[in-house]
Amino acid sequence: MAELQFREALRDAMTEEMVRDENVFLMGEEVAEYDGAYKVSQGMLDQFGPKRVIDTPISENGFSGMGIGAAMMGLRPIVEFMTWNFTFVAFDQIISNAAKMRYMSGGQLKVPIVFRGGNGAAGQLAATHNNSTEAFYTNVPGLKVIAPSNPDDAKGLLKSAIRDDDPVLFMESEVMFGMKGEVSDEEDYLLPIGKARIAREGDDITLVAHSKSYWLAMEAAEELAKQGYEATVIDPRTLRPFDTEAVIDSVKQTNRLVIVDECSPYGGIASEVAFRIQSQCFDHLDAPIARVTAKDTPAPYAKNLIEAWMPTVDEVIDASKKALYVN
Amino acid sequence: MADETKNPPRKRAAKKAAPKKTSASNGKAASPQTVPDAADFRMYTEGGHTHESLGLEKDELLEMYRSMMLQRRFEERAAQMYGRQKISGFLHLYIGQEAVSTGTIHALEPTDPIITAYRDHGLGLARGMTANESMAELFGKIDGSSRGKGGSMHFFDVEHHFYGGHGIVGGQIPLAVGLGFAGKYKGTGAVAVGFFGDGAINQGAFHEAANLAALYEIPVLLVCENNGYAMGTSVDRSVSQPDLYKQAYGYNMTGALVDGMDVFTVYHAMRELAKQAREENKPALVEIRTYRYRGHSMSDPQKYRTKEEMEAKKNEDPIIKLKAYLIDHKLADNAQLDAIDDEVKAEVNASVEFAENSPYPPLETMYEDVYVQEDYPFIV
């Protein structure tokens, strides 16, 4: 095991796959000469040259579509978005083209492309730059969506995403790029897409949380433990497809479920998970499923407001206690 | 096919317009310091080609005629079948524009990837899709080119390097640049050709794609099939620069204007422009002026144009023009051409029968072709 930053794990995954397969290339804003807006691709231009590490103009629709066209011809592009906030101008390419090409062509084509970049709120950036976009994209059949919470998963899943023959949306977080963690140094470290990770086991309540929210759930679980309640924490890692079985298995033991999700509450990831669990193991539930999400407003700028807008550890603890019927 | 571009015997052949000394500033008094770089505009509007000047053999000419007839008769039957409710949804006919598809396909290498918008039957058939798979797709049957999942707007024939049939106006233009990018990346020497309508030139996707194509020196021809109307909105009501080819200037690329009612002119222009793209890794914006004789879709009352305009344009019918040429030059007689017509009609009639007899897609095919992954866990 080596201790790596999240960004280094991502870089290692891309580098290994580019060494392995000539058809893999990276493009995006500032990925080459600038060494990456968040230094994820640092040094990659030097290693692979401008043919395979390509700076793009600020044209998300254009370069997303160009990547999809290249993937239709058998290349395996990695398209970096500076953040997922900026993908709204590339929405048509991702939804109308990447997701649906195979279907509309009756299976004649595949689109092996990875779109990746920072997702979710990242501080006092105000409403346009603090979107959690996963619920928009998980809504679209034809896409796969991954949102890892730690460097190890980031590496193993990104490598798998690059090798996957379907379009994969890989969501990172600007505030997690510097996070350090142990990363497997297995030679070809691949994690399966669509499998959750049970991060902590406890009999009293199940917490489900992905990406940044996962760390809130873990902190809440530690605090709950101090108060005598043991939580299972599940990191789904992949949001589409979603490992429903892992949650069902856990809820059958704990009978209680809280979902932590940075998306807006209306139709977010939490809504989908809650629906699946109530419909598939209703008889096992001893309390209504609870969720902790962002507030139902655009993200505000002011420090106190954005802090109140984001899900917090205290909210996760409160929601858990409500589900446990304790106060 | 013989390539005579090295020693062109043509007299009145469309020529490269001399680079314009002055700007696109439309006669504004410009001081020498403000005169921009010369634009590379080319006019392919004069016609006057002969098959000899283009190096086209008789067999290929008859093949072109046959292809144009197939596209025409196929769509006439499709319109009829739409009327009989055998075909649903949208049906956008290409009738009148066949010189564009046919001239282009014959000018390209068969492995050059092409992609277009939703008015896609003509290009698909010209590239080698069969009438059977095409009609079955319109009928929404399992033997359709997309197994009944795409319909009229989403024809694909990847085996023949036809990358679709795309429904969102302008959305396929960045894809075209990607097709060209892949050819350059792999060193295949292929030129990609991306078709779109005059309405699409107002989409941001076009402008982003044009910039990327020129910036990365991608061998791609961005071909605007200007049929005069974006649904019911004419070009001069929707584009600030209605000479669409001139928009190439802003992207530092060749801009070409082509008469799309003459298959020889299209062939000639596309052969020259594809050669340049292939040899110099250069994109170009090609405006091909054409005309659709039918409405935008099947539900279009066509109040935006006059009968007189329609009649005048019918005198320019590219199929009639080619037919007259073949007869005038004694390359074929009426009987031979009639035989081709009959053959095409029979092929189209058979396609209707084929489509009728093909089964509807079994319900389980709904979940096929969504993902390459075979055991994807759908929510059911």
Side-chain angles (χ1 to χ4, degrees):
Chain A
M1 300 288 264
E3 188 173 74
L4 295 180
Q5 287 186 355
F6 205 110
R7 62 164 61 82
E8 292 168 331
L10 295 169
R11 185 188 311 145
D12 283 1
M14 292 194 290
T15 301
E16 287 176 22
E17 292 307 300
M18 284 177 66
V19 167
R20 188 182 152 269
D21 183 353
E22 187 71 30
N23 287 329
V24 180
F25 67 95
L26 171 67
M27 64 184 209
E29 292 153 9
E30 311 290 8
V31 298
E33 305 257 337
Y34 193 88
D35 264 340
Y38 294 100
K39 303 291 171 243
V40 173
S41 57
Q42 193 162 36
M44 289 180 69
L45 174 64
D46 289 342
Q47 185 173 350
F48 296 103
K51 182 189 170 190
R52 299 181 67 196
V53 180
I54 304 166
D55 276 326
T56 65
I58 303 171
S59 304
E60 282 85 359
N61 181 303
F63 68 73
S64 299
M66 190 178 119
I68 296 164
M72 289 161 71
M73 295 282 281
L75 297 182
R76 308 186 82 87
I78 305 167
V79 174
E80 177 174 310
F81 292 120
M82 198 176 289
T83 79
W84 279 90
N85 295 292
F86 312 145
T87 65
F88 299 155
V89 291
F91 223 43
D92 179 50
Q93 291 300 332
I94 299 171
I95 292 175
S96 301
N97 292 340
K100 291 163 186 164
M101 194 69 66
R102 184 168 183 77
Y103 204 66
M104 293 188 307
S105 66
Q108 292 185 59
L109 284 167
K110 58 182 184 182
V111 183
I113 192 169
V114 173
F115 295 102
R116 48 155 292 270
N119 174 58
Q124 283 181 267
L125 305 177
T128 56
H129 285 55
N130 269 340
N131 293 284
S132 291
T133 63
E134 51 270 58
F136 297 126
Y137 291 111
T138 49
N139 195 243
V140 183
L143 301 176
K144 294 177 179 174
V145 181
I146 298 174
S149 67
N150 64 72
D152 187 65
D153 285 347
K155 181 174 180 189
L157 285 165
L158 183 54
K159 279 172 69 78
S160 295
I162 294 167
R163 291 192 199 182
D164 201 278
D165 277 337
D166 294 309
V168 179
L169 280 51
F170 201 89
M171 299 184 175
E172 303 143 17
S173 163
E174 294 111 286
V175 298
M176 290 186 353
F177 283 133
M179 166 195 286
K180 286 186 174 173
E182 295 291 325
V183 175
S184 167
D185 39 27
E186 206 178 291
E187 190 166 302
D188 216 4
Y189 186 53
L190 298 166
L191 289 172
I193 294 170
K195 285 277 167 265
R197 182 174 62 93
I198 312 296
R200 188 186 192 285
E201 293 196 69
D203 291 334
D204 299 321
I205 189 163
T206 302
L207 306 180
V208 171
H210 67 274
S211 189
K212 202 147 83 271
S213 302
Y214 162 80
W215 297 100
L216 297 184
M218 286 300 277
E219 217 179 312
E222 295 306 320
E223 184 54 38
L224 286 166
K226 284 181 201 159
Q227 299 179 25
Y229 306 102
E230 291 298 334
T232 289
V233 176
I234 299 177
D235 178 356
R237 305 194 289 193
T238 303
L239 301 175
R240 184 183 183 93
F242 189 93
D243 189 352
T244 317
E245 286 308 310
V247 183
I248 290 174
D249 288 348
S250 173
V251 169
K252 281 182 177 168
Q253 288 179 8
T254 64
N255 314 112
R256 292 171 167 85
L257 174 63
V258 174
I259 307 148
V260 192
D261 169 23
E262 250 185 58
C263 290
S264 301
Y266 198 133
I269 301 295
S271 316
E272 175 64 26
V273 176
F275 171 81
R276 292 191 196 188
I277 299 308
Q278 67 78 28
S279 67
Q280 292 181 56
C281 51
F282 185 74
D283 291 340
H284 292 274
L285 286 168
D286 284 348
I289 298 168
R291 64 179 178 181
V292 178
T293 66
K295 304 302 175 286
D296 194 21
T297 71
Y301 166 73
K303 189 167 189 295
N304 63 323
L305 292 180
I306 186 71
E307 282 172 3
W309 184 84
M310 296 288 290
T312 62
V313 174
D314 285 346
E315 286 175 325
V316 180
I317 294 168
D318 287 350
S320 301
K321 284 182 162 176
K322 219 176 261 176
L324 287 157
Y325 297 115
V326 292
N327 276 304
Chain B
M1 162 205 336
D3 185 343
E4 301 188 9
T5 50
K6 282 187 190 116
N7 185 18
R10 57 190 111 92
K11 287 179 207 140
R12 287 166 296 157
K15 54 195 173 271
K16 285 183 189 179
K20 295 198 171 165
K21 297 260 164 40
T22 50
S23 63
S25 62
N26 292 334
K28 262 190 222 160
S31 70
Q33 288 85 351
T34 63
V35 174
D37 297 339
D40 179 14
F41 293 146
R42 312 205 184 152
M43 302 294 126
Y44 296 92
T45 54
E46 288 181 21
H49 301 285
T50 65
H51 65 289
E52 288 110 335
S53 75
L54 296 171
L56 285 166
E57 304 290 337
K58 181 182 159 184
D59 286 353
E60 188 163 12
L61 293 170
L62 292 178
E63 185 41 50
M64 288 166 114
Y65 177 75
R66 188 183 191 286
S67 175
M68 289 169 81
M69 283 304 293
L70 177 64
Q71 295 167 57
R72 180 73 55 96
R73 297 290 177 241
F74 177 87
E75 288 203 316
E76 286 168 353
R77 282 292 268 165
Q80 219 177 43
M81 292 300 118
Y82 193 90
R84 292 187 201 163
Q85 297 182 313
K86 296 287 184 186
I87 300 171
S88 290
F90 291 125
L91 185 71
H92 307 91
L93 301 180
Y94 196 67
I95 290 174
Q97 302 184 208
E98 296 92 343
V100 181
S101 52
T102 310
T104 301
I105 294 305
H106 283 260
L108 297 177
E109 296 297 326
T111 48
D112 288 335
I114 61 168
I115 188 166
T116 188
Y118 46 81
R119 201 175 301 283
D120 58 356
H121 314 147
L123 267 165
L125 290 166
R127 223 344 150 50
M129 288 180 72
T130 64
N132 280 358
E133 65 181 330
S134 303
M135 194 63 83
E137 187 60 31
L138 296 181
F139 275 51
K141 299 296 188 73
I142 190 68
D143 295 309
S145 44
S146 292
R147 310 177 75 217
K149 285 177 173 150
S152 164
M153 299 192 289
H154 308 113
F155 275 20
F156 286 82
D157 184 357
V158 174
E159 205 188 314
H160 289 111
H161 306 275
F162 174 47
Y163 287 86
H166 294 271
I168 305 294
V169 172
Q172 80 283 9
I173 309 174
L175 302 181
V177 176
L179 301 179
F181 172 89
K184 186 178 174 185
Y185 188 96
K186 292 180 181 176
T188 62
V191 174
V193 183
F195 293 86
F196 52 95
D198 46 279
I201 208 154
N202 298 318
Q203 283 277 32
F206 163 74
H207 296 277
E208 294 191 19
N211 183 50
L212 290 168
L215 188 68
Y216 296 144
E217 298 178 324
I218 289 177
V220 61
L221 300 178
L222 303 177
V223 179
C224 180
E225 287 188 82
N226 180 0
N227 64 21
Y229 297 95
M231 199 164 153
T233 304
S234 61
V235 168
D236 55 7
R237 287 206 300 130
S238 56
V239 195
S240 56
Q241 172 48 279
D243 283 336
L244 305 181
Y245 67 95
K246 288 182 181 165
Q247 298 202 18
Y249 183 78
Y251 300 104
N252 206 16
M253 61 167 88
T254 300
L257 177 65
V258 181
D259 175 0
M261 301 309 275
D262 177 35
V263 70
F264 284 179
T265 305
V266 174
Y267 172 81
H268 168 66
M270 293 303 283
R271 201 173 63 175
E272 263 193 18
L273 294 162
K275 185 168 186 280
Q276 170 180 296
R278 207 183 308 278
E279 290 175 357
E280 301 173 31
N281 274 327
K282 264 185 166 177
L285 172 62
V286 187
E287 177 189 358
I288 305 187
R289 290 200 183 151
T290 180
Y291 200 77
R292 65 168 152 74
Y293 293 145
R294 301 299 185 95
H296 163 73
S297 66
M298 298 305 288
S299 59
D300 178 1
Q302 303 186 59
K303 288 181 180 161
Y304 48 84
R305 57 185 179 184
T306 61
K307 282 215 170 70
E308 292 71 29
E309 178 183 304
M310 293 273 283
E311 288 310 314
K313 288 287 182 185
K314 281 193 176 157
N315 293 330
E316 296 176 31
D317 189 323
I319 296 183
I320 294 172
K321 201 185 268 183
L322 178 59
K323 188 174 183 176
Y325 182 93
L326 293 171
I327 290 170
D328 289 351
H329 288 74
K330 307 211 178 331
L331 292 157
D333 57 28
N334 268 315
Q336 273 174 298
L337 297 179
D338 286 351
I340 293 177
D341 292 4
D342 291 344
E343 209 180 288
V344 164
K345 267 185 208 154
E347 188 177 337
V348 170
N349 287 341
S351 78
V352 170
E353 203 181 317
F354 176 83
E356 283 276 21
N357 293 334
S358 173
Y360 284 109
L363 282 182
E364 62 267 22
T365 64
M366 176 115 64
Y367 289 97
E368 294 169 1
D369 309 320
V370 185
Y371 294 97
V372 177
Q373 181 186 342
E374 286 186 2
D375 57 352
Y376 182 89
F378 291 99
I379 300 171
V380 286

